[in-house]
Amino acid sequence: MAEYICVFNKDTLLIKPSKKSPLFLRTIVLLFAMSPSPDANIITQLEPRIPTLHYPKPETFSRGECSKNPVRFFVILSMQRSGSGWFETLLNSHVNVSSNGEIFSLLERRKNISNIVQTLEKVYNLDWFTSASKNECSAAVGFKWMLNQGLVEHHKEIVEYFNHRGVSVIFLFRRNLLRRMVSVLANSYDRYAKLLNGTHKSHVHSQQEATALSSYKPIINSASLISDLKEIGSAAVKALEYFNSTRHLVLYYEDLIMNRMKLKDVQEFLGIPQMELTSRQVKIHKGPLSDFVKNWDDVNKTLTGTEYESFLRADY
């Protein structure tokens, strides 16, 4: 099916389907199928081959009080420590959005495609209740999904499901993969060290907590650093290729930090009223990366003169 691309700016892509809807084609097929014809069986066989809409008419709540409120379905596809938790709190500050967290962090929900679809159905049939669920009639419902949580292994079936249900995809990645690496290592360490009074926290809400967590300086394996960075970058590229046929938006954490107008693009993409989005989360590693890596000299020497040299200086 032909598509066109809207570019909000150079880093935000919105993929929309063409105006020629397959619903029109389905109508034609139905009319022919209702007419007595020796070729009726052939038409019936061809009908399933008509591509499904990438952006069908929004589903509606089955609950009576919300029966006239359209609902957009979405999913945030990301990697750990790429700003997805912060981004989700921003979305949930909108009165009409319910984003239900990292629901596939539990292995049982993603051990096979059957369990995955069952979980997706519960979310998009509006039967998934969390602290993010709104009392108001939500206009957009979704969750966040990490690439290493069964998403890539079952990408064909998941893409088919997304397109069938009209799920819009928001990719959220981080440009500075070195900062992400530092965050991953520090967060992994705190799972066992529990620096905040014996409690592990992946996200914090005060500068005092952020300072405590950032006090740990990980040692980065400089020997495998370049290959590790390439592997992370390749994973993002592969995900974009796998889910290219979905209706999707590509965002970067750094752009959201530097340009809050990006949040308006997100709200337009989801078809929800424009609001000021807020979050109480505080960034943990803020400032020069050299302050947060124990073997900084080795890392600096390894990346200087490579395509990743800019990661050494970027503030985000």
Side-chain angles (χ1 to χ4, degrees):
M1 180 175 66
E3 294 180 337
Y4 63 88
I5 302 176
C6 294
V7 181
F8 289 117
N9 49 55
K10 68 176 183 178
D11 297 318
T12 304
L13 301 179
L14 172 56
I15 314 299
K16 289 186 176 181
S18 67
K19 294 182 179 178
K20 293 184 178 180
S21 168
L23 288 177
F24 174 76
L25 297 177
R26 291 181 183 275
T27 302
I28 297 297
V29 170
L30 180 60
L31 290 175
F32 273 100
M34 293 175 62
S35 303
S37 167
D39 296 325
N41 291 333
I42 297 177
I43 295 174
T44 302
Q45 293 172 2
L46 289 176
E47 195 273 340
R49 301 179 188 176
I50 299 174
T52 58
L53 269 174
H54 288 184
Y55 190 19
K57 182 179 178 181
E59 299 286 341
T60 57
F61 282 107
S62 59
R63 298 164 180 82
E65 69 274 15
C66 297
S67 60
K68 294 184 179 180
N69 286 56
V71 184
R72 307 293 174 94
F73 299 149
F74 71 89
V75 62
I76 304 164
L77 302 188
S78 188
M79 298 180 181
Q80 285 84 354
R81 314 311 294 176
S82 295
S84 62
W86 168 71
F87 178 65
E88 192 174 45
T89 61
L90 288 170
L91 289 183
N92 278 326
S93 71
H94 194 293
V95 70
N96 299 123
V97 177
S98 294
S99 192
N100 295 287
E102 200 172 319
I103 63 176
F104 284 109
S105 60
L106 295 181
L107 181 61
E108 179 66 22
R109 295 172 184 165
R110 55 182 165 93
K111 69 177 183 179
N112 54 53
I113 189 60
S114 177
N115 284 25
I116 289 174
V117 171
Q118 185 178 6
T119 302
L120 292 173
E121 285 287 273
K122 191 171 182 180
V123 173
Y124 296 127
N125 286 338
L126 310 177
D127 292 324
W128 193 279
F129 300 103
T130 67
S131 58
S133 302
K134 299 294 193 299
N135 293 326
E136 296 83 2
C137 296
S138 296
V141 173
F143 65 99
K144 64 175 182 173
W145 199 346
M146 302 296 105
L147 300 188
N148 63 353
Q149 295 174 347
L151 188 69
V152 174
E153 292 87 338
H154 303 286
H155 68 273
K156 291 182 180 180
E157 297 90 342
I158 294 169
V159 165
E160 183 178 351
Y161 179 89
F162 283 172
N163 287 337
H164 174 69
R165 292 300 304 263
V167 178
S168 296
V169 175
I170 299 175
F171 288 102
L172 178 61
F173 296 123
R174 197 166 183 170
R175 282 200 175 87
N176 195 327
L177 301 180
L178 181 60
R179 277 193 173 269
R180 176 186 177 272
M181 183 179 292
V182 170
S183 183
V184 168
L185 292 172
N187 186 63
S188 296
Y189 172 79
D190 189 66
R191 288 183 185 277
Y192 303 97
K194 297 179 172 58
L195 297 176
L196 296 176
N197 299 319
T199 302
H200 169 62
K201 288 187 177 182
S202 295
H203 308 99
V204 298
H205 299 97
S206 74
Q207 190 56 55
Q208 182 180 5
E209 291 177 320
T211 301
L213 291 184
S214 63
S215 64
Y216 168 72
K217 297 183 179 183
I219 296 176
I220 294 178
N221 187 341
S222 58
S224 63
L225 179 55
I226 291 179
S227 61
D228 291 341
L229 292 174
K230 286 183 178 179
E231 183 178 349
I232 298 169
S234 296
V237 171
K238 186 177 294 184
L240 287 168
E241 292 175 351
Y242 285 159
F243 291 86
N244 186 53
S245 65
T246 64
R247 179 181 185 265
H248 62 269
L249 179 71
V250 182
L251 297 173
Y252 290 93
Y253 168 75
E254 291 86 349
D255 295 341
L256 290 171
I257 290 286
M258 302 300 292
N259 181 10
R260 286 304 182 97
M261 288 298 294
K262 294 283 185 180
L263 296 176
K264 293 186 180 294
D265 297 345
V266 174
Q267 293 177 79
E268 182 176 343
F269 177 72
L270 293 177
I272 56 179
Q274 294 285 337
M275 290 184 62
E276 187 70 24
L277 305 183
T278 60
S279 173
R280 293 178 52 242
Q281 284 193 14
V282 175
K283 184 175 174 62
I284 296 173
H285 297 96
K286 188 173 184 179
L289 260 182
S290 56
D291 293 343
F292 306 114
V293 179
K294 192 168 186 178
N295 61 329
W296 177 252
D297 290 342
D298 293 337
V299 171
N300 185 62
K301 182 180 179 180
T302 300
L303 297 186
T304 297
T306 71
E307 60 184 304
Y308 304 111
E309 183 175 2
S310 61
F311 292 172
L312 297 169
R313 296 180 294 275
D315 192 26
Y316 287 97

